[in-house]
Amino acid sequence: MTRIADTFRRLQETGEKAFMPFLTAGDPNLAITEEVIVELDKIGADIIEIGIPYSDPLADGPTIQAGSLRSLSSGTRMPDVFELVRRVRPKVRASLVLFTYANPVFQWGVHDFFQTAKEVGANGVIIPDLPLEESEEALAAGLATGVDLIPLVAPTSQERIAKIVAQGQGFIYCVAALGVTGVRENLDADLSSYVASVKKHTALPVAVGFGVGKPEHAAIIGQFADGVVVGSAIVKKTAAIADALQAGDAALVEATKQDLVQFAASLKAPLYPNKQEA
Ligand SMILES: O=P(O)(O)OC[C@@H](O)[C@@H](O)c1c[nH]c2ccccc12
């Protein structure tokens, strides 16, 4: 059983839903990313998405694009992210999922990428711009290493949903909105029926991301999905840490870190069983 499968099994037993924050490694620097991951784990984050910064994050809105830029300008490269995972792995219970675009994976070498991910203790990989038709090698590497290749389905996937999820490993990532990542004021009205249409095709857990910006959003998603992914709203908080760091204000760096962690805790809160009554 992979660590991700074990995470969802534990959550099933306690009746919880997974809280899955995303942050970009090295934004604003690797030391702070490591500290934040440890704190997120302490407040109950169940699966932590660790973004590998990339120069052309085509599926990302301005918030995460800015985070990638801050990370790249602080000198973060893929080997640094692998080393971050190796260091933080023994310090946290959460499953760790590497988030990367396809190009850096092909440059590194698909099988080597998954092998290295396994060695440092990563539990899954998400590659948003790797279409099913081009993912044969990555799927095989996922199976060979036990590092789950997690598929994304989008509202536009309709007739392809069955094919995409049939190859799924770990969990299915349901993208909740069209367009790029970024906090939305409201969730799509028919999100629950879209998730139900995905669940029809798979026994794997189904997580929902894109647009989640507040606990109310997490509470709604927690009623029909197995996990909630939050990226931009977290990365907005790392931007505040970056500003404090830039200002050389150590107290403000601590305060903005705590603000991120408290915000994350408020997003996990509605995902505990007694909070999920409809
Ligand atoms: O930022 P949002 O709207 O909360 O969405 C999660 C998203 O950030 C994270 O899962 C992610 C980061 N970059 C992506 C690119 C494509 C799909 C998903 C992602």
Side-chain angles (χ1 to χ4, degrees):
M1 174 180 284
T2 65
R3 194 182 186 110
I4 289 177
D6 199 40
T7 296
F8 279 107
R9 190 186 49 72
R10 168 175 61 78
L11 293 168
Q12 198 116 45
E13 281 168 8
T14 56
E16 286 175 55
K17 299 305 175 73
F19 172 52
M20 309 160 72
F22 164 92
L23 71 174
T24 301
D27 168 28
N29 64 42
L30 288 160
I32 288 180
T33 301
E34 186 172 338
E35 289 162 18
V36 168
I37 288 173
V38 169
E39 291 303 313
L40 286 172
D41 182 65
K42 280 186 192 151
I43 58 93
D46 301 292
I47 297 178
I48 300 175
E49 280 187 23
I50 300 172
I52 296 173
Y54 184 51
S55 52
D56 183 20
L58 49 91
D60 280 302
T63 303
I64 292 182
Q65 284 186 25
S68 291
L69 220 53
R70 286 192 297 271
S71 171
L72 288 169
S73 53
S74 77
T76 310
R77 298 294 178 270
M78 191 181 283
D80 305 310
V81 182
F82 281 130
E83 283 318 303
L84 165 71
V85 173
R86 188 197 303 276
R87 282 197 307 277
V88 84
R89 171 68 283 164
K91 299 177 183 174
V92 300
R93 173 183 73 168
S95 288
L96 301 175
V97 171
L98 285 174
F99 193 101
T100 175
Y101 284 89
N103 196 291
V105 175
F106 285 110
Q107 277 178 358
W108 186 276
V110 173
H111 197 80
D112 284 355
F113 180 87
F114 276 80
Q115 192 53 42
T116 309
K118 178 186 179 190
E119 274 155 26
V120 299
N123 309 109
V125 176
I126 297 179
I127 310 176
D129 60 339
L130 182 65
L132 182 67
E133 295 72 17
E134 292 164 42
S135 57
E136 194 179 333
E137 196 183 356
L139 285 165
L143 291 173
T145 56
V147 177
D148 294 325
L149 177 62
I150 293 140
L152 277 80
V153 292
T156 48
S157 304
Q158 286 323 323
E159 64 289 342
R160 280 163 48 85
I161 287 181
K163 267 173 68 182
I164 294 170
V165 304
Q167 311 279 350
Q169 300 167 11
F171 64 90
I172 309 295
Y173 187 143
C174 269
V175 170
L178 297 178
V180 296
T181 59
V183 174
R184 268 71 171 180
E185 190 44 45
N186 301 306
L187 296 176
D188 230 297
D190 55 3
L191 188 53
S192 60
S193 53
Y194 157 51
V195 170
S197 73
V198 175
K199 275 183 161 292
K200 260 200 326 245
H201 297 284
T202 181
L204 286 175
V206 173
V208 174
F210 264 53
V212 175
K214 50 192 172 187
E216 294 77 2
H217 288 164
I220 292 167
I221 293 171
Q223 289 170 16
F224 51 77
D226 304 298
V228 183
V229 182
V230 184
S232 300
I234 298 278
V235 174
K236 268 192 187 132
K237 304 278 185 190
T238 55
I241 300 173
D243 292 346
L245 199 64
Q246 190 80 29
D249 184 336
L252 188 56
V253 168
E254 275 317 303
T256 46
K257 261 197 291 184
Q258 279 317 309
D259 176 54
L260 184 157
V261 175
Q262 293 318 316
F263 173 67
S266 75
L267 291 164
K268 169 69 182 178
L271 301 177
Y272 288 103
N274 53 353
K275 301 282 185 65
Q276 278 159 39
E277 288 90 57

